[in-house]
Amino acid sequence: MSWAGRMILGTFRILLVLVHVSAACDFRPFSYRATGVVCRITKPAALLLNQETAQVIQAAFRNAKFPNITGERSMRLLGKVAYELTNIQVNGLSIEKSDVELKENNAIYIAIKNMTASFKGTLTYGYAGAWFLQLFHSVDFEIESSIDLQLDIKLMCQEDKLVADASDCCLTFHKLTLHLQGDKEPGWLKQLFTDFISFTLKLVLKREVCKEINSLAQMLANFILDLAANFVRDKDIIVDLSLAADSLIQTGYVESHHKGLVLYKNYSSILSDSVFSPSLLTESRMLYFWLSEHTLSSLVSAAFLDGRLVLTIRGEKLQALFEMEDTEVQRKAVQMIFQGTSYNDSVAKVWSLAHPQISLQPEGTVVKSLVAVEVSILPAGGEPLVVLYMEKEITVTIQAAYAEKKLILQPLDSSTEFKVFKCTADPSGDDPSVRNFLQNMISVVGIPEVTSSIGSALTSLMNNKGLNLCDIINPEIITRQGYVIVQLDFDFPHHLLLDFLQKSL
């Protein structure tokens, strides 16, 4: 295909992409009714992240593929002079200052000043002079430059995903000096080729560096989205992070709005009445996550369908559960239930019988669930024998906190109502001592044990996603009617960016 044909085909493809993007991301202005998850990054966080800009810019310069630069010029007496710069590489780069500004036209402005860069390569030149005199020569060269770089990074929607567009890129050269074979002194040859190539060289450097910066910006955006998507996915349970509304950039923060729908096999949730509004979040912390009650409730439902709301208790934990107090009532109840069997030869199983109901309130997360408890003894060489089975409806208010890289679930008010009660030692149910003991045990020890186990399981899951590698400072989990806010400060996990750059370049 000819060059013109490829250009026409390429333009046609770009138009198709633009049409597809506009159709896929046609949001109503300021409509958040389908928003289930929101992420807000404030100006202090942007300033912190800007400290890592130098690594990204250095990577862009190192990874840029500079083409050979050729040219020629007619000179009096000398005839036609031709030159070619090859093997252009970045030899050194330093950045003195980098500033970031959030603009309300949906752009993040980054200004990098007094950046010095050194390039090296080979210059081959020749000329056919008067009287048929021809000279050809190759020398190593080094270029010293002083550059300012301005970037306007726009957040855009493409196929319902947030992408970063850094194509608005400007390089301003304050200095561009050519040295030949390490000679730092000016000479006619150096001056001749500096005049020839400086304009073309500036264009090439700008084009290739800006192209690489834009590519890296898009790769970083995809990298962050992939991290987020992986964090909220575990096996068959997926949280849809596609965009629900346009991103919002104010002078104090950047905010993205996501659907937050939970997908599990044939189960999917629908959200159309979100209560989110940007006014619900402030700018006092570095990072905010807003999650709807619908998203959290759907996650719990998916966990129930996946058979995860099951807890098995054995050995010392089982003993601690049933021997919470040393009283005559406790000893009698334990004897009746276990019939003298050792705790090591017994097992208790707790599981949810139906979808737990989640309600977010100012006092905490209210969980209402129909739960079954089954205690079995395991005779040597025999089949397990169920000695206790009960179903109870439990309502408990839980407050969540994150400290020392652990999720802590603290149960507050709770109530328990027995629906089914079967005990082998008391088939008639006439002896109230067992039931009263179990009622007290469930409230005082059982519910805290279950919530603690769930907190440990969630901590383990989050750590498997790498949360424990991040430096999270003073996190707060705040519940309100219909939603929860997680707000925190952080120190940037440098290893994430370094690993990304090393793997990508």
Side-chain angles (χ1 to χ4, degrees), residues 318 338 340-346 377:
L318 187 60
F338 291 92
T341 304
S342 166
Y343 290 111
N344 291 328
D345 297 322
S346 307
I377 58 177

Side-chain angles (χ1 to χ4, degrees), residues 8 11 56 67 72 100 110 125 133 188 225 237 284 298 302 340 377 387 400 431 433 445 447 467 470-471 495:
I8 293 173
T11 304
V56 178
E72 61 180 25
V100 63
I110 297 177
Y125 64 93
L133 178 64
W188 74 270
L225 286 175
I237 300 177
S284 60
S298 298
I377 58 177
V387 294
D431 190 341
S433 61
V445 182
I447 291 176
L467 185 64
C470 300
D471 298 322
H495 62 280

Side-chain angles (χ1 to χ4, degrees), residues 355-381:
H355 293 252
Q357 299 176 27
I358 302 292
S359 175
L360 296 176
Q361 302 294 332
E363 58 270 21
T365 302
V366 181
V367 182
K368 185 176 182 180
S369 181
L370 182 61
V371 176
V373 178
E374 182 181 271
V375 177
S376 301
I377 58 177
L378 311 172

Side-chain angles (χ1 to χ4, degrees), residues 88-105:
I88 302 175
Q89 304 174 45
V90 177
N91 195 34
L93 180 74
S94 65
I95 295 176
E96 181 177 310
K97 185 179 181 182
S98 177
D99 295 321
V100 63
E101 180 182 350
L102 305 180
K103 293 185 174 182
E104 294 191 7
N105 63 345

Side-chain angles (χ1 to χ4, degrees), residues 267 297-310 350-358 367-373 389-394 419:
Y267 168 84
S297 180
S298 298
L299 276 171
V300 173
S301 293
F304 167 76
L305 293 173
D306 201 44
R308 301 193 186 195
L309 302 185
V310 179
V350 183
W351 72 98
S352 183
L353 292 168
H355 293 252
Q357 299 176 27
I358 302 292
V367 182
K368 185 176 182 180
S369 181
L370 182 61
V371 176
V373 178
Y389 176 84
M390 54 185 173
E391 296 176 6
K392 54 192 184 295
E393 188 174 83
I394 295 178
K419 298 295 184 180

Side-chain angles (χ1 to χ4, degrees), residues 431-450:
D431 190 341
S433 61
V434 174
R435 185 176 300 201
N436 292 338
F437 164 73
L438 291 173
Q439 179 82 8
N440 188 40
M441 182 198 72
I442 291 168
S443 300
V444 177
V445 182
I447 291 176
E449 173 66 25
V450 170

